[in-house]
Amino acid sequence: MHVTDAAEAPLRAALQELRMRLEIPDHFPPTAQAEAESAARAPRIPAGDGEVATEHTLDNATDLPLFTLDPPGAQDLDQAMFLARRPGGGYRVHYAIADVASFVTPGGALDAEAHHRVATLYFPDERIPLHPTVLSEGAASLLPDQDRPAVLWEFTLDADGAPTATTVRRALVRSRARLDYAGVQRVLDDGTAEEPLALLREIGLRREELAAARGAISLDVPEQEIVERDGRYTLAYRAPLPSAAWNAQISLLTGMAAAELMLAAGTGILRTLPSAPDGSVARLRLTAQALGVDWPHHTSYAALLRTLDPRDAGHAAFLQECTALLRGAGYTVFDGTAPPPTATVHAAVAAPYAHATAPLRRLVDRYASELCLAAAAGHAPPGWVRAALPALPHQMETGSQRANQVERACVDLVEAALLRDRVGETFEALVVDRHEDDPTQGTVHLCEPAVIGPVQTAPGGPALPLGRRIRVRLAGAEPGREPVRFTPV
């Protein structure tokens, strides 16, 4: 979700008030900032067994013509890749991940602050980074034409895109180009892309076919842009480009390989998700009805998602609602001292999976990288990694709750901004939820704009007709003070 307002505009001011109310930090403690600046000048690259290497003793992979692919203007570049065709058939994928452990000393002030923040927080107008920008947008970022320490994965894929061999090691890398999705999509569509970029589409499509065969769930959730027009805010959807989905497939490939490595070694941390409960899917069917999404009863949830067009406003809103089914995800730790976990699968991936490709923006990925490096080398994990594992699931859960709170508050604020001048107007809506203990209260989904909000009939009034269309009146909407609320007409 993005806001295009000027910094002094009312919506931006309300977002700033929201950050203050949620006590979101606006700076790093001086000790953590000082550690980051020192590490940026002289990274301490772990070499195993408590030793410290230097950039000069790393495996030199700067000959690989890596490139990064991110949104325009991004500076915190976690991943860089190089794709090639194998002479005998199939593909070779090199995937470099920012080596954050080379810049963050375990037990130091910077490490403590990262454990406090857990993840980068995204607001519609700015982001609150996990690490100081001197690292996340500087010395640790895989910026072009800069030598950087990295965790370098190499995959050998067969002609169908399935991995037949995997290696991972520390290496010195140098990205050659910082690309964005629109530019890559343009050269892919007009046929002028060089082979490494052309292979992104080819490998991405192969990986998508394998995902569909597994029953994986693919959510092409569109970006929402809040634009001021004629003194009113309007909501526009921006559909993700196919190049973003193909890029995500390389990250998913790595996360699945990381999970396999850790499971084989007996120590690790997985990202797990149980299957969605039937009640959640039933609620989504009501939302689909409200938004005009055709969902045949014989079609599975995963199969339906592959038929949707995120450029369609109704489909876009439905995809946004589908993210609710991913909110039961958690982290599962295993350390070799107990039987392996029974729940290892991430239901959306339809396979074991680990967060391992975004260490600049997510705490757990730093630990996953170290566990995978140790497993690939046949070594025991570093002591600082094993010591941190038991607390990581709770820390990540706390961080996820904070991120969800931020997301919900931002949505409430933006919806109120969209509708603040329409209090008293009536809208077509569908009742998508009804409280079990009080059937006069529930939730409606407006047909236009794509807004969800609480609804309540008058005291002693009739029960809300779950799953049916009704007309509702907007009873209140004040950005930062009162979220949208409705009453039946």
Side-chain angles (χ1 to χ4, degrees):
M1 183 178 287
H2 300 286
V3 170
T4 60
D5 270 349
E8 65 278 5
L11 185 51
R12 291 283 292 269
L15 286 165
Q16 182 59 33
E17 290 178 10
L18 173 63
R19 283 188 284 273
M20 294 176 62
R21 187 167 69 250
L22 297 179
E23 298 182 346
I24 303 299
D26 60 358
H27 65 277
F28 284 83
T31 52
Q33 183 68 37
E35 280 189 19
E37 292 172 0
S38 175
R41 294 189 295 269
R44 301 178 74 256
I45 299 166
D49 299 323
E51 298 177 0
V52 175
T54 68
E55 291 187 8
H56 302 293
T57 58
L58 282 175
D59 288 350
N60 192 326
T62 54
D63 59 324
L64 283 173
L66 299 166
F67 61 88
T68 59
L69 181 53
D70 292 273
Q75 297 286 337
D76 52 341
L77 310 182
D78 284 290
Q79 315 103 8
M81 73 181 81
F82 176 66
L83 312 174
R85 200 181 301 279
R86 296 177 62 225
Y91 313 94
R92 180 159 284 115
V93 174
H94 287 93
Y95 202 48
I97 306 299
D99 187 4
V100 174
S102 292
F103 298 89
V104 180
T105 302
L110 182 57
D111 186 35
E113 182 65 12
H115 278 261
H116 172 67
R117 295 190 176 214
V118 178
T120 295
L121 294 176
Y122 293 90
F123 288 80
D125 59 334
E126 68 175 70
R127 57 187 181 78
I128 309 300
L130 172 61
H131 302 100
T133 55
V134 68
L135 295 180
S136 61
E137 298 183 6
S141 177
L142 302 183
L143 296 165
D145 303 319
Q146 303 291 327
D147 289 353
R148 293 289 189 258
V151 176
L152 182 61
W153 293 80
E154 182 177 348
F155 302 100
T156 301
L157 308 182
D158 63 20
D160 294 324
T164 59
T166 301
T167 64
V168 58
R169 59 193 170 101
R170 276 196 158 87
L172 193 68
V173 302
R174 173 181 279 253
S175 172
R176 299 297 197 276
R178 178 172 52 190
L179 308 180
D180 63 72
Y181 297 123
V184 167
Q185 193 67 50
R186 187 164 52 250
V187 296
L188 288 173
D189 290 344
D190 65 20
T192 61
E194 297 182 2
E195 184 169 82
L197 271 186
L199 288 178
L200 177 67
R201 172 166 52 193
E202 191 171 322
I203 295 171
L205 290 172
R206 299 285 189 277
R207 295 296 302 172
E208 287 179 343
E209 291 170 0
L210 292 173
R214 291 195 312 271
I217 295 169
S218 177
L219 280 181
D220 290 330
V221 181
E223 293 181 351
Q224 293 174 289
E225 189 169 65
I226 300 92
V227 183
E228 187 179 6
R229 293 177 183 154
D230 301 325
R232 277 190 174 185
Y233 288 111
T234 61
L235 184 64
Y237 287 106
R238 181 184 298 165
L241 293 168
S243 58
W246 300 329
N247 182 52
Q249 286 297 328
I250 305 300
S251 180
L252 283 166
L253 166 68
T254 308
M256 293 167 65
E260 291 178 5
L261 262 178
M262 290 187 284
L263 284 168
T267 302
I269 181 165
L270 304 180
R271 181 65 164 165
T272 52
L273 175 69
S275 298
D278 291 340
S280 296
V281 177
R283 184 182 181 280
L284 272 181
R285 282 192 175 275
L286 294 177
T287 304
Q289 180 184 341
L291 295 168
V293 175
D294 183 22
W295 188 348
H297 282 286
H298 64 273
T299 302
S300 70
Y301 169 65
L304 170 73
L305 295 179
R306 294 188 176 86
T307 70
L308 301 182
D309 181 0
R311 294 168 295 184
D312 178 279
H315 290 190
F318 180 73
L319 285 165
Q320 187 67 44
E321 288 306 299
C322 288
T323 60
L325 296 191
L326 305 182
R327 289 176 187 162
Y331 292 89
T332 299
V333 165
F334 52 101
D335 63 2
T337 61
T342 56
T344 62
V345 172
H346 190 292
V349 181
Y353 172 69
H355 277 157
T357 62
L360 291 175
R361 291 170 281 179
R362 194 169 47 209
L363 174 67
V364 70
D365 300 50
R366 171 166 39 120
Y367 291 90
S369 285
E370 297 307 307
L371 289 163
C372 290
L373 288 165
H379 298 155
W384 63 270
V385 173
R386 178 164 273 162
L389 281 181
L392 271 177
H394 176 70
Q395 291 169 343
M396 294 303 301
E397 180 182 1
T398 300
S400 295
Q401 290 172 348
R402 185 186 304 121
N404 290 337
Q405 181 186 22
V406 165
E407 180 182 359
R408 184 64 255 171
C410 287
V411 170
D412 285 346
L413 192 155
V414 168
E415 287 180 339
L418 286 170
L419 297 176
R420 65 180 301 173
D421 298 324
R422 302 180 69 178
V423 173
E425 290 187 25
T426 60
F427 301 85
E428 287 284 336
L430 186 90
V431 181
V432 295
D433 195 15
R434 184 174 64 191
H435 294 186
E436 291 184 6
D437 55 347
D438 184 357
T440 67
Q441 297 185 51
T443 305
V444 288
H445 197 305
L446 301 192
C447 300
E448 178 63 33
V451 167
I452 294 176
V455 62
Q456 183 172 11
T457 62
L464 292 167
L466 184 62
R468 292 180 56 188
R469 283 180 182 254
I470 63 172
R471 288 197 66 81
V472 295
R473 178 175 286 107
L474 178 61
E478 182 61 33
R481 291 169 178 80
E482 181 185 23
V484 296
R485 56 185 177 88
F486 300 93
T487 57
V489 175

